[in-house]
Amino acid sequence: MEDWRRTPLVFWVTSLPPTLWLVVFFLIPLALVWVMSFGELDGLIDIKITGTLANYARALDPLYLEVFGKSLVFAGFTTVISLLVGFPVALAIVFASPRWRPILLLLVILPFWTNLLIRTYALIAVLRVRGFANFSLEWLWDQGNTVLALMGLGSYQLLGDRFEPLELLYNNTAVVIGLVYVHMPFMILPLYAALERLDRSLIEAALDLGASQFRAFLTVVVPLALPGIISGGILVFIPALGSFLTPDLLGGTDSQMIANVIERQFKGANDWPFGAALSFLLMYLTFAALTVRALVNRRAERRGGA
Amino acid sequence: MAHCKPFRPSRRSFLAGTGAVAAGLTFLPKAGFSAEEKVVNFYNWDTYIGETTLDDFKGASGIEVNMDLFADNAELFAKLKEGNPGYDVIVPSNDYVERMVAANMLMKLDHSKIPNIANIDLAFMNPNHDPGRVYSLPYMWGTIGIGYRKSRVDGVPDSWKWLYESDQYAGKIALLGTPSTVIQIACKYLGYPLNESDPAKLEKAADLIIKQKPSIKVFADDNGQDLLLSGEVDLTMEWNGDILQVMAEDDDISYVVPKEGGLLWEDTLAIPTGAPHPENAHAFMNYVLDAEAGAAIADFIQYATPNAAAKALMDKSYTENPAIFPPDETVKNSEVAIYQGPEYSQLIDRLWTKINAA
């Protein structure tokens, strides 16, 4: 590594803009919110900073802890499903021919070219009762009936006497589908980065030594991809934990996540100090997740070094 | 109130808002000694002005109207609470007028600059939320009731029971996503006043909703009419104007204010404190209250106008439409939401969190 002391000017010039950016647009606003979380409402607009812990005490009420818990479950499911779906996709991209690889990667990030809100509305159009998913199912149902009729079984109504559309929208499943859909690229890209570096001769060696494909995958590929799995997991878990748009638009009466509660504090409830306290509790949870990653990384490094 | 609104205009209005701030900043120093630049910044609900009103106003006065959109009163309030980002005319609902007056967020109006006030029906000139109309003028009014699909519902669902305490239409019901409204109407159904503030009774109202949750499909964020139109639900609690807009597209949809009474609301025109162009704001409000202009707006957005002169210009399909102007009996049973202070807002939010978490 280049020693910055030898070229101090270059160091200062290049690091000043990002540092300023970070301080002005991230640390200062964050500090303001943090201070606000120790405040009390004074009338409708003013907030008195009294150093009170009442906001945190309120946030630790079982009611809100339950909402935190539910958000963790949503984010957890999202992460696991993203991993299960994303891993084969990342593997497929790694093993695709070099000509296809950039195109496949482009396809993974393509959704980012569209605004999240518009993608979520598109999902509504897919999932609703008169939506594309149900249209497709209905079409299949019609085809199935035609086939049955051709086989002379048309009068038995084996597929039910009319097509019942599935209730896909406005429930917790819809929320998880939405979260997985939105966050999948964050899982695939780090997995791809980890798997691409993987030395394929190790897999060959495992196979040569008599391991089954599955065994080779579990004992060679997965451990080597672990950094990618952890990075992807973190990148999916953290934003999923703080989602409010997806549960708001796709969820039913049971789908409230903690960010929905926080949003309301800054709007309808007009209780910014409480919203700030909830935000910071959410951030501490996030830090906890990052700490876990750091610990796992360190352990992996130590094992690698030994 | 808020309408067929597919997208929240967050980014757009942010950009326009920053533009408005810039305009406001460059303008402020000379405000004292020169005429205002020919601009008025209007912050409105979506589809809530006549098709050509803004252009017509520009033609008549030479003043350019920049319109930004907000999705609900909470958003309007949050946007203005840390200081006016440059808006001249806003459209808060009755209880938010009270809230904003309490927070010194509205300017007193100069009635002498708005001669068209004479057009307003006198019944609207001295409401509880703004006695003497010091801060706000009525723009549109209406009710919250039940929009329903006739072919899927037995008779007319003229009781809140069908939404709050019955499983006959389980899974085909949408309530509004506005916590206070949903809880207030539950109070109404239980026989309490709409503005009940006793925590124990509010708790009972919340319990009623929690018990009904398995039958409720969704708390719709201002898109109940779309859910009704697309067949997602068969009954929805909604603003009358929203349902009227889909009634025009689908004969099978109708609207009723239940016999227990509904919620009456009034949207107003007001000038937020710190408005950079107060003169233009008064001129714009005067134009909106003009008989012809007001009739054009009412004809397009299909809400009830408090403008008697404008109403006189409208035909019967508007003035005698019970979904726009409900029967007197209904109006008598209905109530107006009152702003009840921060503790009430916090209690409502806590109950709403509980309802959603249960």
Side-chain angles (χ1 to χ4, degrees):
Chain A
M1 207 167 76
E2 187 86 40
D3 189 346
W4 67 270
R5 259 163 290 199
R6 253 185 290 164
T7 49
L9 188 68
V10 174
F11 173 80
W12 286 114
V13 167
T14 51
S15 66
L16 199 61
T19 311
L20 267 181
W21 182 271
L22 196 70
V23 170
V24 173
F25 292 111
F26 182 69
L27 289 179
I28 292 179
L30 206 61
L32 288 177
V33 176
W34 188 73
V35 170
M36 193 191 288
S37 73
F38 297 101
E40 275 171 62
L41 286 173
D42 183 19
L44 268 170
I45 295 188
D46 296 325
I47 291 160
K48 242 188 343 210
I49 307 300
T50 53
T52 174
L53 290 174
N55 296 314
Y56 288 95
R58 256 173 83 198
L60 292 175
D61 181 308
L63 174 62
Y64 296 103
L65 291 181
E66 206 180 299
V67 182
F68 269 110
K70 193 173 219 165
S71 309
L72 287 170
V73 171
F74 272 129
F77 267 107
T78 304
T79 312
V80 170
I81 295 172
S82 299
L83 179 63
L84 293 180
V85 180
F87 207 102
V89 175
L91 263 184
I93 299 177
V94 168
F95 284 102
S97 77
R99 238 185 61 214
W100 276 98
R101 231 179 276 167
I103 299 173
L104 291 173
L105 281 175
L106 184 72
L107 285 177
V108 169
I109 55 169
L110 202 59
F112 286 126
W113 295 6
T114 311
N115 181 287
L116 169 64
L117 197 54
I118 294 172
R119 278 183 283 152
T120 309
Y121 274 102
L123 262 187
I124 292 180
V126 171
L127 295 177
R128 65 184 171 201
V129 169
R130 288 191 209 162
F132 297 114
N134 274 316
F135 288 155
S136 308
L137 289 172
E138 189 168 12
W139 182 82
L140 285 175
W141 183 83
D142 279 342
Q143 300 306 308
N145 269 351
T146 314
V147 171
L148 285 178
L150 285 175
M151 288 161 62
L153 299 167
S155 54
Y156 297 104
Q157 292 174 332
L158 293 176
L159 297 173
D161 55 354
R162 75 183 186 127
F163 175 73
E164 282 297 334
L166 298 178
E167 298 282 343
L168 299 170
L169 198 55
Y170 304 122
N171 51 45
N172 292 344
T173 316
V175 175
V176 173
I177 291 175
L179 289 175
V180 168
Y181 166 66
V182 167
H183 294 105
M184 184 67 80
F186 296 114
M187 181 60 90
I188 294 177
L189 294 178
L191 281 177
Y192 169 79
L195 290 171
E196 202 216 352
R197 285 197 303 260
L198 187 139
D199 184 351
R200 290 183 201 183
S201 57
L202 291 174
I203 306 175
E204 281 164 29
L207 294 175
D208 286 349
L209 290 170
S212 66
Q213 296 264 0
F214 184 66
R215 179 101 197 265
F217 174 76
L218 269 191
T219 53
V220 178
V221 178
V222 170
L224 286 172
L226 198 61
I229 295 176
I230 293 171
S231 304
I234 294 280
L235 282 178
V236 170
F237 185 80
I238 291 177
L241 189 62
S243 302
F244 74 95
L245 192 72
T246 312
D248 200 29
L249 292 178
L250 304 180
T253 55
D254 241 356
S255 312
Q256 166 181 256
M257 289 174 72
I258 193 66
N260 299 111
V261 180
I262 295 175
E263 187 208 5
R264 284 207 305 275
Q265 303 315 313
F266 289 93
K267 290 175 76 185
N270 190 34
D271 192 351
W272 290 29
F274 183 49
L278 285 173
S279 304
F280 266 86
L281 283 183
L282 182 60
M283 202 170 324
Y284 297 143
L285 266 181
T286 311
F287 285 144
L290 289 172
T291 315
V292 170
R293 180 179 78 154
L295 288 178
V296 172
N297 265 3
R298 196 180 303 165
R299 226 178 47 196
E301 265 167 36
R302 209 176 294 150
R303 218 175 23 208
Chain B
M1 268 172 107
H3 319 275
C4 31
K5 146 180 310 288
F7 308 123
R8 287 179 202 187
S10 54
R11 175 167 306 177
R12 235 195 71 205
S13 48
F14 170 71
L15 289 175
T18 44
V21 172
L25 288 179
T26 49
F27 175 69
L28 275 177
K30 47 183 180 170
F33 55 86
S34 78
E36 287 176 4
E37 58 174 331
K38 295 269 184 194
V39 170
V40 65
N41 297 317
F42 182 35
Y43 199 27
N44 190 14
W45 304 82
D46 197 5
T47 55
Y48 211 40
I49 189 80
E51 243 174 330
T52 59
T53 310
L54 304 185
D55 290 337
D56 295 347
F57 175 63
K58 192 182 177 189
S61 66
I63 297 172
E64 169 104 32
V65 184
N66 299 321
M67 185 166 73
D68 266 349
L69 305 175
F70 59 87
D72 53 47
N73 280 299
E75 184 182 333
L76 168 71
F77 185 84
K79 193 86 161 252
L80 289 165
K81 120 175 197 165
E82 296 293 327
N84 182 355
Y87 295 114
D88 298 305
V89 179
I90 57 175
V91 190
S93 307
N94 45 296
D95 50 331
Y96 270 75
V97 170
E98 292 174 88
R99 212 193 242 222
M100 295 178 99
V101 168
N104 289 323
M105 287 163 72
L106 297 182
M107 267 172 66
K108 284 192 177 165
L109 301 175
D110 184 347
H111 285 208
S112 70
K113 290 178 183 158
I114 312 175
N116 282 335
I117 284 179
N119 288 337
I120 297 172
D121 185 336
L122 284 179
F124 290 89
M125 283 312 288
N126 198 24
N128 289 327
H129 56 265
D130 185 11
R133 287 289 175 193
V134 177
Y135 297 96
S136 69
L137 290 170
Y139 179 54
M140 293 288 156
W141 68 277
T143 51
I144 288 178
I146 301 177
Y148 61 101
R149 185 167 285 282
K150 288 185 262 184
S151 61
R152 294 291 204 125
V153 174
D154 280 342
V156 177
D158 62 350
S159 166
W160 289 115
K161 177 180 141 195
W162 303 116
L163 297 192
Y164 279 95
E165 206 175 20
S166 152
D167 59 3
Q168 186 172 342
Y169 304 110
K172 287 295 184 183
I173 297 172
L175 299 190
L176 279 173
T178 318
S180 53
T181 306
V182 173
I183 294 171
Q184 283 164 351
I185 291 181
C187 287
K188 193 92 185 146
Y189 173 66
L190 290 173
Y192 310 142
L194 187 85
N195 293 296
E196 181 60 64
S197 59
D198 174 4
K201 288 180 178 164
L202 288 170
E203 196 83 40
K204 262 193 201 146
D207 288 342
L208 177 76
I209 301 165
I210 290 171
K211 232 176 85 199
Q212 178 71 354
K213 255 180 75 175
S215 297
I216 303 170
K217 182 158 193 170
V218 62
F219 297 120
D221 248 358
D222 195 23
N223 62 343
Q225 73 276 21
D226 299 332
L227 300 178
L228 190 59
L229 189 63
S230 69
E232 201 74 39
V233 300
D234 295 328
L235 296 114
T236 180
M237 173 195 280
E238 258 298 345
W239 316 102
N240 58 329
D242 282 356
I243 297 300
L244 272 158
Q245 284 167 0
V246 291
M247 277 164 76
E249 291 176 49
D250 188 339
D251 288 344
D252 197 23
I253 291 175
S254 190
Y255 176 83
V256 63
V257 180
K259 56 180 188 279
E260 296 92 356
L263 185 150
L264 281 180
W265 53 265
E266 178 194 291
D267 283 344
T268 69
L269 298 168
I271 304 180
T273 308
H277 315 104
E279 291 292 328
N280 297 349
H282 281 89
F284 180 65
M285 284 166 77
N286 190 51
Y287 181 78
V288 169
L289 293 172
D290 172 71
E292 299 257 341
I297 296 170
D299 186 48
F300 183 65
I301 67 176
Q302 294 287 303
Y303 276 94
T305 178
N307 186 330
K311 192 176 167 188
L313 297 174
M314 301 289 292
D315 56 28
K316 279 187 179 166
S317 67
Y318 172 85
T319 53
E320 291 182 5
N321 186 337
I324 299 177
F325 294 96
D328 290 345
E329 189 68 13
T330 308
V331 174
K332 220 175 69 198
N333 288 339
S334 300
E335 288 177 80
V336 177
I338 298 172
Y339 171 62
Q340 304 193 63
E343 284 81 21
Y344 178 81
S345 307
Q346 283 167 25
L347 177 59
I348 291 288
D349 187 75
R350 192 194 146 77
L351 291 174
W352 189 250
T353 306
K354 184 174 152 190
I355 289 167
N356 276 278

